[in-house]
Amino acid sequence: SAYRLCTMRKLPSVLARTLASVTSGSSMLPDMSEVRSRLRDIVGASTNWRDHVQAMQERKALHTLLAKRQEDLPPRRMKDSYLEVILPLGSQPEIREKYLNVHNSVRFGRILEDLDSLGVLICYTHTKQEMQPRSPLSIVTALVDKINLCKKIIYPDCDIKFTGNVSWVGRTSMEVKMHMLQLHDGDYSPVLDATFVMVARDPENKRPAFVNPLVPETPEEEEIFKQGELNKLKRIDFSTASLLKMAPTAEERNIVHDIFLNTLDTRQEGEGGGVLKTVSFRSRKLPPNSVWMEDAKLKGLQICHPQERNIFNRIFGGFLMRKAFELGWATACSYGGSRPFIVSVDDIMFQRPVEVGSLLLLSGQVCYTEKNYIQVRVHSEVYDADTREHHTTNIFHFTFISENEVPRVVPKTYG
């Protein structure tokens, strides 16, 4: 099966130990509503929209609690930020409706929302100051590095457990590794693993702020920490190799040219019905069982209401991920003509925050196909009605597997 492609990364030792004593007391674990409640308490956010603006003003006074240097902050261990959270779909049927899709499995967009909230709480746990009930830090999601799934279906009537901890720390950023497991026959089995990168900023979310250093304790933790460092270097390499900054490699040029040659129409009829042998850049034909990339698009629009705000009065990153995923799924569904299943999420970059009241424009595009696989890119931008300007906020990449083999997607233009 194609799902052999998904190899679960080795679970951190803390997690492995926890899972060895499979929770009979899972009902004692906090649930997702408690996670969000804790986040509001940590930053002093209000549940009321009007009071919320005032609460954010009051956060300015927390500036004095920020560290001047990272060295002034006490180091933390991986287990200090380790959290377990339950999503009681089996034991509390009343919450099931929110997570249910039409195929009677769990809505993956809701899982993205939960991972985003949990990732932020894990970082606040890492940076917690014992004497301060409120944190001076604004911790926001910078990017989703990777989410790998190893289960095709997430069941809507079995309890889910999320676990995670900070796995690497820079000066102002933190990598968080999270795992999701689902209860079957008394055992929790792995469903997905996720790597998020969070950044810490000042109370007004304007400038970077220092976070506690991380000290690995075991050889296994050393390995996890080293991997976090490598992930960071890979991201730097990837951004410098962007086509917007650097010319394509020889290999990339050959691939693009081969695709182009494959779409040239070498047969054109002349005025008298004869065949001309002139070939031009404009004479293009679609190869068999293919679709032009420009015909494999879907668009969506979202009005950003106060209900979707996060603890800092901006639109919740998890909500943006859910909306983008749902458009990506719909794009894959309409392209492949059958139900697609999510295999992997990669490259979710949060380039700028989305303000409440924004018009959010989402554009889904099939950008690569292979056998049953469909790669979808979703571009998200906000439209400012006052300035009439468009600004990119996010770019998402989703890999789906379709029930049937899909047509090849073929680009027409160089871009």
Side-chain angles (χ1 to χ4, degrees):
S1 130
Y3 272 76
R4 276 176 295 195
L5 286 171
C6 170
T7 54
M8 285 292 284
R9 294 193 191 102
K10 211 166 157 192
L11 301 181
S13 51
V14 233
L15 177 59
R17 283 200 296 275
T18 313
L19 294 185
S21 58
V22 165
T23 27
S24 50
S26 64
S27 56
M28 303 303 291
L29 295 175
D31 61 14
M32 289 315 300
S33 61
E34 198 173 326
V35 165
R36 294 186 175 105
S37 169
R38 279 192 203 175
L39 285 172
R40 281 194 296 272
D41 291 344
I42 287 167
V43 300
S46 169
T47 51
N48 181 311
W49 163 243
R50 271 179 270 181
D51 297 346
H52 197 103
V53 180
Q54 178 59 34
M56 289 296 102
Q57 289 295 90
E58 289 167 9
R59 273 185 63 75
K60 288 183 184 179
L62 299 173
H63 262 283
T64 54
L65 301 175
L66 290 174
K68 301 278 189 291
R69 309 175 310 155
Q70 189 179 34
E71 295 71 26
D72 297 339
L73 293 165
R76 296 277 152 81
R77 302 165 300 175
M78 285 190 191
K79 62 184 174 195
D80 292 336
S81 61
Y82 179 76
L83 288 182
E84 285 189 9
V85 171
I86 196 82
L87 179 59
L89 296 177
S91 43
Q92 292 180 28
E94 63 275 12
I95 66 165
R96 223 173 272 168
E97 192 85 349
K98 179 184 166 185
Y99 285 84
L100 198 61
N101 68 24
V102 70
H103 300 289
N104 199 34
S105 61
V106 166
R107 289 171 66 181
F108 185 69
R110 291 287 187 207
I111 298 300
L112 289 175
E113 288 184 323
D114 290 347
L115 287 169
D116 196 41
S117 295
L118 179 60
V120 174
L121 184 59
I122 286 169
C123 289
Y124 273 122
T125 308
H126 173 83
T127 57
K128 189 173 186 291
Q129 296 182 30
E130 292 308 321
M131 304 306 290
Q132 299 296 339
R134 286 193 182 169
S135 174
L137 300 176
S138 301
I139 293 173
V140 293
T141 309
L143 68 100
V144 176
D145 210 21
K146 196 79 178 165
I147 300 176
N148 280 328
L149 287 96
C150 56
K151 285 275 166 72
K152 209 170 180 180
I153 306 278
I154 305 170
Y155 297 99
D157 52 0
C158 300
D159 283 4
I160 284 171
K161 184 160 67 172
F162 295 98
T163 68
N165 57 275
V166 171
S167 51
W168 174 85
V169 168
R171 293 174 70 72
T172 62
S173 60
M174 293 164 278
E175 181 191 84
V176 179
K177 285 212 181 292
M178 290 173 284
H179 306 274
M180 176 177 143
L181 308 108
Q182 189 157 37
L183 189 62
H184 292 291
D185 304 324
D187 275 333
Y188 276 103
S189 55
V191 175
L192 66 78
D193 69 326
T195 306
F196 280 47
V197 177
M198 308 290 185
V199 290
R201 300 174 70 77
D202 67 9
E204 294 177 80
N205 197 2
K206 287 182 177 171
R207 293 180 186 83
F210 294 116
V211 297
N212 302 64
L214 182 66
V215 182
E217 291 186 299
T218 64
E220 198 178 358
E221 288 184 358
E222 292 274 4
E223 206 51 50
I224 293 165
F225 191 86
K226 263 190 222 153
Q227 188 56 53
E229 190 64 38
L230 287 174
N231 290 344
K232 178 200 165 189
L233 297 172
K234 267 187 218 155
R235 286 192 293 273
I236 293 169
D237 287 348
F238 188 76
S239 66
T240 53
S242 160
L243 285 173
L244 298 173
K245 297 178 186 173
M246 193 183 275
T249 63
E251 187 192 5
E252 286 167 340
R253 288 198 298 273
N254 286 334
I255 290 168
V256 169
H257 198 64
D258 283 348
I259 293 170
F260 169 68
L261 292 178
N262 206 26
T263 62
L264 280 181
D265 189 0
T266 52
R267 291 177 58 82
Q268 292 178 76
E269 289 198 6
E271 284 177 20
V275 175
L276 298 172
K277 283 293 179 187
T278 54
V279 178
S280 81
F281 278 92
R282 281 174 304 187
S283 59
R284 308 284 293 282
K285 67 173 173 49
L286 193 60
N289 193 31
S290 301
V291 174
W292 288 123
M293 195 183 272
E294 64 189 26
D295 298 327
K297 287 182 179 176
L298 274 188
K299 291 186 183 292
L301 165 71
Q302 196 66 41
I303 300 169
C304 299
H305 295 291
Q307 182 190 5
E308 311 303 346
R309 72 189 187 278
N310 65 12
I311 49 177
F312 304 113
N313 238 18
R314 301 269 180 51
I315 294 300
F316 172 44
F319 170 76
L320 300 175
M321 287 196 274
R322 173 162 67 85
K323 286 293 167 189
F325 168 77
E326 287 172 356
L327 181 68
W329 184 91
T331 306
C333 184
S334 61
Y335 182 86
S338 63
R339 180 186 175 186
F341 296 89
I342 183 74
V343 178
S344 180
V345 179
D346 202 3
D347 286 3
I348 298 183
M349 292 172 283
F350 289 81
Q351 295 182 9
R352 60 164 66 208
V354 177
E355 302 294 340
V356 172
S358 302
L359 290 181
L360 185 71
L361 305 168
L362 295 163
S363 178
Q365 166 83 73
V366 174
C367 55
Y368 184 71
T369 55
E370 193 176 296
K371 296 178 182 169
N372 290 38
Y373 286 95
I374 306 171
Q375 181 84 25
V376 179
R377 174 188 191 266
V378 178
H379 179 256
S380 153
E381 60 183 4
V382 283
Y383 173 67
D384 188 321
D386 297 329
T387 62
R388 297 183 179 275
E389 289 180 329
H390 292 253
H391 296 288
T392 296
T393 61
N394 299 75
I395 296 166
F396 305 82
H397 291 272
F398 302 106
T399 308
F400 295 93
I401 187 166
S402 187
E403 289 176 313
N404 306 315
E405 194 158 320
V406 300
R408 274 188 313 162
V409 74
V410 180
K412 195 183 245 183
T413 67
Y414 186 83

